Every structure is written in C-alpha cells, then in structure tokens.
Amino acid sequence: ISFQVVLNIDGTIVFTYNTLPIAANQIEATAHPVQVGLADAYAREYSIDGQRVVIHYHYHEVNVPLENVTEGSYVIFSPLPSCLPAETCGECAALDPELDCGWCANLHKCTDGLDRFRDQYIFHECEKAAVSKASECPPEEVKR
C-alpha cells in the first residue's frame, strides 16, 4: 500500500492512494468495519464505579464512499468555517450566526462548545457566560 496525506496551511487535507493491493470496497469487513474519511472528536475521562472510562464524542465526520478509494485516486477535504479563528469578542460576534459561536471571556476563545477545547469550555462554564452579540462584549474584548 502506498498512501500519502498532505496537510496544507489553508486547512485543506489531501489523501492520495498511489497503490492498493485490493480496492477498499472489496475488503472483508467481518473483523473490523472498513471506513475512509475524517472525524473531529474530543475525549472526556470519567470515573464510573471507581473505573477510569474514556468516552470519545464525535461531533463531525466525513466519510468517503469506498468505491471512490481506488488505486491512483485522491480525496480533497476542504475546511468548514469555524469559530476558532476569531481572536476577540467583536470578531466572534461578527461571524455567521449559523455557526452558533459565542465568546467565552473566561477562556478568551470564540467557540460553539463542540471543538478541541470542549473540556476547557465546560470547566470555565462558558455555556452560561458565552457572548454572541457585539453589544454584549466587554469593551476591552472588542478589539486587540
């Protein structure tokens, strides 16, 4: 198998399948399901009855149809808009409302609560204090 992954600075990811001994849709999935794609997730650690349990929460995934994974093929993943690039409350409030972003002053981050900072979001109680309108931003957090 010859496979490449390219992570571009603009967030684009390219999977390239140079050589494959067998097409992905011909692999027997009896022992393990065959999947191709990407998933965003975060992990939470819990203690249940004295046992350490780690649960992974997937909040977004992209699956590639197995028939598209053939020798010489490539798949390009383009990044979706996100809350994370906003560095101030004002920038956060100006983002597309469909993103459901909120500025967490305790964390100094713009987030929808479902990203790699999920644990910090919960710890800093951002769900209670998130600001989504520029008029609600503290003056010092509107611009930098």
Side-chain angles (χ1 to χ4, degrees):
I1 296 175
S2 177
F3 171 79
Q4 288 179 292
V5 176
V6 177
L7 307 173
N8 293 304
I9 197 154
D10 68 354
T12 303
I13 300 170
V14 181
F15 287 1
T16 304
Y17 302 91
N18 298 321
T19 57
L20 298 173
I22 186 170
N25 63 350
Q26 294 177 352
I27 299 171
E28 286 294 322
T30 53
H32 185 73
V34 178
Q35 294 181 294
V36 176
L38 297 172
D40 285 340
Y42 63 91
R44 298 278 330 261
E45 187 175 310
Y46 300 93
S47 178
I48 300 175
D49 296 328
Q51 297 291 317
R52 179 180 168 263
V53 178
V54 177
I55 299 176
H56 291 94
Y57 295 92
H58 285 234
Y59 54 89
H60 187 246
E61 67 182 30
V62 177
N63 293 304
V64 177
L66 294 180
E67 60 271 11
N68 292 354
V69 181
T70 59
E71 195 164 295
S73 68
Y74 61 92
V75 179
I76 300 173
F77 299 95
S78 299
L80 296 174
S82 165
C83 304
L84 292 175
E87 295 183 351
T88 67
C89 184
E91 288 177 8
C92 185
L95 292 172
D96 185 341
E98 292 286 317
L99 291 175
D100 197 26
C101 301
W103 180 256
C104 179
N106 297 338
L107 192 55
H108 299 287
K109 292 207 178 298
C110 182
T111 178
D112 63 1
L114 295 173
D115 56 41
R116 63 184 178 265
F117 299 108
R118 176 73 179 167
D119 281 344
Q120 293 174 34
Y121 179 86
I122 292 168
F123 179 79
H124 290 284
E125 299 182 330
C126 295
E127 69 277 2
K128 295 177 186 173
V131 171
S132 58
K133 296 179 183 162
S135 61
E136 299 170 349
C137 291
E140 67 277 5
E141 303 230 3
V142 175
K143 290 191 236 175
R144 270 196 198 159

